[in-house]
Amino acid sequence: MLEVRDVHLSFGGIKALQGVSFAAKPGEITGVIGPNGAGKTSLFNAISGFYQPDRGQVFFGGNDISHLSPDRRAEMGIARTFQNIALFRGMTVLDNIKLGGHTRLRTGLWSALSYFGPARREELELRREIEEKVIDFLEIDHIRKYPITILPYGLQKRVELGRALAMQPKVLLLDEPVAGMNREETADMARFILDVQEQFGITVLLVEHDMHMVMDICSHIVVLNFGQQIASGTPAEVSGDPGVIEAYLGAAA
Amino acid sequence: MITGDLKATYAADERVLNNGYKQAFVLAMAALCALMPFIANDYIILVASQMGIMLIAVVGVNVVIGYTGLLSLGHAAFMAIGAYSVPILHRLMDNIGLPDGIMPFIAIPGAIAISAIVGIIVGLPSLRVKGLYLAVATLSANFIIIFLIELEALAPWTGGLVGLNTPDPNILGWVFDTQREMFALIAALAFVTILAIQNLFRTRVGRAFIAIRERDYSAEILGISLFRYKLMSFAISAACCRLAGALFAYFYARILPEQFELALSLQLVAALIVGGMGRTMGPVFGVMIIVMVPEVLKFTFGMVAGGAAEVAQLRAPVQEIVFGLLIIFFLMFEPLGINQLVDRGIRALNRWPFARG
Ligand SMILES: Nc1ncnc2c1ncn2[C@@H]1O[C@H](COP(=O)(O)OP(=O)(O)O)[C@@H](O)[C@H]1O
Ligand SMILES: [Mg+2]
């Protein structure tokens, strides 16, 4: 489904990624962990196309997508959320989520200008679908007309997940979805992520610091440290790996 | 905050004129425009026609600046292309012997296409630069177009510095040779333009523009091509300005290059700022103010000074100062323009007398 092969990326002197290779298991949740600055977000940026790797490739569904623009990759079915929430702040929750449906809609300029007819049909169909598959699913009915700015942080994270789900993606990249959340919000979000994987069969790539959550819901874990991939395997394998314990778990303890 | 606006169906919830005030306002405007050719005096028809032409242009400027967030100062150039392509296309069609009655049907859409293409070319810098740099790039487009129009070598077609006489539109045998008839045409096209652009923002196309304004990398991550939509936005706004320019040419007997200089671009932007950027009704409110200011000044100067020439000389600079003050006032105190003031008023009315705030 999604595979990165020997990806190298540097910013000036900083080597953010040095030979990262792994394949996300289709329909499962793969965790990417590592201390701050390990290169997790850079990896996501290389996968979604914001950064061009110095070396190595990204494959999606068997095709090399390394040279495609971010919007082309999104169109193919790669969705993501950002570590620092990148919602459209001036819009309502509903409009944000509708934007997630962009690539699935067909309305072009001419039918948009006349609206009544095919464009209207498509828009109402999108609305119905979003209400059923995203808004109900994430339990955000009560805030659909709210502007993003007045929502608490935890809900904003949930709306951003909703916007990504509206794309009906094949692969979903989540960059620290529970960072800064309290215990209850974290539990909710973990449940939603599991539901996303179970109900929709979406392949999930998850960057997260909350080790309990990562160990709980991921079937496979990749560990980065200073841009290097120091381990990869099941939660049990990874948490028993001496290198990982030293570099990450040890440092955290 | 009032959130109790539950609707029975999604279709009802997606309506644009979602309250009685908006419906009443649109109906009243439509009725007024329909009645005006019969009851208004020549002066009111003249001012209203100017408003209509400018409105169509500002609606276009709103697409690129207000909704897509790309600061463009070159829109007078698109109006110039629209205006000049009318006599030039008419002359070409004359040469091949087309009947007068169908010329506007070719001149208007034909040159909307020309302007849309020029719009795309002028929009190209927006793919690389933002903000002030883009403003300067589009500004230079304005200078280039005026330069070409005034160029000696092209003067046989453009009339150079002295301008061109323009034809009256003959629509299927009906010649629109009075301002009253032209007003009806302008008003109808203004309504159609506003409606079409409003429609755009009920669909994925318009949403994509707004997404680019709000956060361009988020738009990309959702599969929105910045290349495609930024250029589309420029093309649409150029096409609106071109329509306004064509009507300008049909409305007046003669067009001159100086009418399309930077001052006009700035006036369009001023109207947008005063009225409210990124809102459907923003251009409507803004244009009313921007067209009224010179008229009110004319009137007060006439009252105060009678015919005194030395006072009348002050009118033009005073007008510029008033425009400047209006822009500064709105940017500082109400960046969302009159539209926002009106919205606030409607919300207060809805709440009255149950609550305050
Ligand atoms: N755009 C950038 N320019 C320069 N350095 C960057 C940029 N993005 C990331 N880095 C650097 O790359 C390294 C990895 O960062 P990042 O991928 O954000 O780590 P993580 O998400 O694991 O905390 C850090 O040293 C960071 O400073
Ligand atoms: Mg990060």
Side-chain angles (χ1 to χ4, degrees):
Chain A
M1 175 61 59
L2 180 75
E3 188 186 348
V4 292
R5 231 179 257 171
D6 195 31
V7 166
H8 291 249
L9 178 69
S10 54
F11 302 99
I14 302 167
K15 294 189 168 113
L17 297 172
Q18 307 181 51
V20 177
S21 301
F22 66 89
K25 292 230 161 55
E28 295 185 23
I29 303 176
T30 302
V32 178
I33 62 172
N36 272 326
K40 306 179 298 292
T41 299
S42 301
L43 174 66
F44 272 18
N45 282 333
I47 294 172
S48 50
F50 287 116
Y51 297 157
Q52 200 53 226
D54 305 328
R55 225 170 86 197
Q57 293 102 32
V58 181
F59 289 87
F60 182 68
N63 301 312
D64 185 352
I65 58 166
S66 310
H67 296 288
L68 297 182
S69 59
D71 57 279
R72 286 284 300 117
R73 298 184 196 200
E75 229 179 302
M76 295 175 78
I78 300 178
R80 93 175 258 195
T81 65
F82 291 83
Q83 188 171 343
N84 320 305
I85 306 185
L87 288 167
F88 304 110
R89 294 177 65 79
M91 297 186 199
T92 63
V93 168
L94 187 58
D95 281 337
N96 266 278
I97 297 176
K98 275 183 178 175
L99 266 154
H102 183 85
T103 54
R104 290 189 294 116
L105 305 181
R106 292 280 72 92
T107 300
L109 179 56
W110 297 114
S111 61
L113 287 169
S114 47
Y115 186 68
F116 295 95
R120 180 168 186 272
R121 224 169 13 246
E122 189 178 68
E123 284 297 323
L124 291 179
E125 174 60 25
L126 173 72
R127 175 77 193 270
R128 196 185 55 73
E129 201 179 273
I130 279 175
E131 291 283 348
E132 288 168 8
K133 295 207 181 121
V134 179
I135 293 185
D136 280 359
F137 174 75
L138 293 176
E139 298 160 17
I140 47 178
D141 318 50
H142 56 299
I143 55 163
R144 64 160 81 73
K145 290 290 180 70
Y146 283 20
I148 298 302
T149 37
I150 68 167
L151 297 179
Y153 181 81
L155 271 181
Q156 293 193 16
K157 284 258 179 196
R158 209 189 288 181
V159 172
E160 201 186 15
L161 174 63
R163 188 178 70 178
L165 287 180
M167 294 171 72
Q168 299 188 353
K170 299 194 182 82
V171 172
L172 178 58
L173 315 180
L174 300 172
D175 198 347
E176 307 204 11
V178 302
M181 284 190 179
N182 63 33
R183 196 180 285 251
E184 192 187 340
E185 288 172 327
T186 301
D188 281 343
M189 184 55 93
R191 180 167 55 86
F192 288 130
I193 296 171
L194 270 177
D195 284 349
V196 163
Q197 176 243 343
E198 281 169 6
Q199 289 189 23
F200 303 130
I202 298 175
T203 305
V204 179
L205 209 55
L206 171 72
V207 164
E208 193 40 72
H209 278 300
D210 188 312
M211 291 311 289
H212 289 294
M213 173 171 157
V214 172
M215 294 296 167
D216 269 0
I217 69 175
C218 295
S219 66
H220 192 89
I221 294 175
V222 176
V223 189
L224 300 182
N225 194 23
F226 293 112
Q228 273 163 344
Q229 185 173 331
I230 57 169
S232 116
T234 63
E237 285 165 8
V238 164
S239 55
D241 186 297
V244 175
I245 293 170
E246 192 191 329
Y248 187 72
L249 302 175
Chain B
M1 162 169 294
I2 291 188
T3 54
D5 59 346
L6 300 175
K7 301 289 191 315
T9 64
Y10 297 138
D13 198 37
E14 298 278 341
R15 284 181 63 165
V16 174
L17 299 177
N18 52 8
N19 68 50
Y21 303 106
K22 291 185 188 171
Q23 287 161 13
F25 183 81
V26 172
L27 278 179
M29 289 297 272
L32 188 64
C33 288
L35 282 178
M36 279 222 315
F38 304 105
I39 55 172
N41 64 26
D42 287 351
Y43 172 72
I44 291 179
I45 289 287
L46 174 69
V47 173
S49 301
Q50 286 171 349
M51 281 185 187
I53 291 170
M54 190 145 165
L55 176 56
I56 293 172
V58 177
V59 167
V61 174
N62 196 17
V63 171
V64 81
I65 300 183
Y67 288 107
T68 321
L70 303 170
L71 185 52
S72 160
L73 293 179
H75 276 73
F78 303 131
M79 282 186 75
I81 293 171
Y84 274 85
S85 52
V86 163
I88 293 175
L89 284 175
H90 270 259
R91 195 168 132 191
L92 285 173
M93 288 187 283
D94 253 342
N95 289 348
I96 59 171
L98 280 180
D100 282 354
I102 62 163
M103 282 188 185
F105 293 98
I106 297 172
I108 291 181
I112 283 181
I114 296 174
S115 177
I117 292 166
V118 177
I120 289 174
I121 295 168
V122 174
L124 282 174
S126 73
L127 300 174
R128 294 245 137 234
V129 296
K130 289 184 195 172
L132 210 53
Y133 297 101
L134 180 60
V136 172
T138 50
L139 195 68
S140 44
N142 204 156
F143 287 121
I144 291 170
I145 299 282
I146 299 296
F147 170 79
L148 288 177
I149 290 173
E150 291 179 350
L151 202 65
E152 204 58 46
L154 295 175
W157 285 95
T158 62
L161 285 167
V162 295
L164 277 181
N165 284 330
T166 56
D168 291 323
N170 174 338
I171 293 179
L172 302 176
W174 181 358
V175 182
F176 285 58
D177 54 0
T178 68
Q179 293 199 337
R180 233 158 257 276
E181 288 164 314
M182 275 308 296
F183 169 77
L185 182 67
I186 291 167
L189 288 174
F191 265 93
V192 171
T193 307
I194 294 176
L195 185 69
I197 298 299
Q198 162 68 46
N199 283 342
L200 213 56
F201 291 94
R202 305 178 77 176
T203 71
R204 73 194 276 263
V205 179
R207 272 200 305 271
F209 293 155
I210 302 174
I212 291 172
R213 176 190 74 195
E214 296 273 315
R215 208 185 273 270
D216 51 6
Y217 67 89
S218 269
E220 276 186 285
I221 208 69
L222 300 176
I224 294 165
S225 158
L226 298 187
F227 177 81
R228 192 185 156 95
Y229 282 92
K230 279 183 176 179
L231 294 187
M232 197 191 285
S233 172
F234 263 96
I236 293 168
S237 76
C240 290
C241 288
R242 137 69 226 190
L243 175 61
L247 291 171
F248 186 94
Y250 281 135
F251 184 77
Y252 294 103
R254 191 170 184 82
I255 49 175
L256 294 163
E258 68 195 34
Q259 289 165 318
F260 304 99
E261 281 176 2
L262 180 59
L264 178 61
S265 285
L266 292 181
Q267 230 178 56
L268 298 176
V269 175
L272 184 59
I273 290 171
V274 170
M277 289 185 269
R279 312 292 297 276
T280 306
M281 294 308 286
V284 178
F285 299 128
V287 163
M288 284 182 185
I289 301 292
I290 293 297
V291 176
M292 291 293 271
V293 165
E295 300 305 321
V296 171
L297 285 179
K298 226 181 274 175
F299 183 72
T300 34
F301 269 75
M303 290 249 292
V304 175
E310 59 272 30
V311 183
Q313 269 179 358
L314 289 175
R315 211 181 72 212
V318 167
Q319 181 179 319
E320 301 292 312
I321 292 169
V322 173
F323 281 153
L325 288 177
L326 275 172
I327 294 177
I328 291 169
F329 173 84
F330 276 97
L331 282 181
M332 285 180 66
F333 300 110
E334 196 56 87
L336 296 175
I338 296 175
N339 202 328
Q340 183 72 1
L341 294 174
V342 171
D343 275 1
R344 215 174 282 148
I346 290 179
R347 272 204 296 277
L349 273 177
N350 276 336
R351 242 178 265 135
W352 188 82
F354 301 108
R356 269 181 297 150

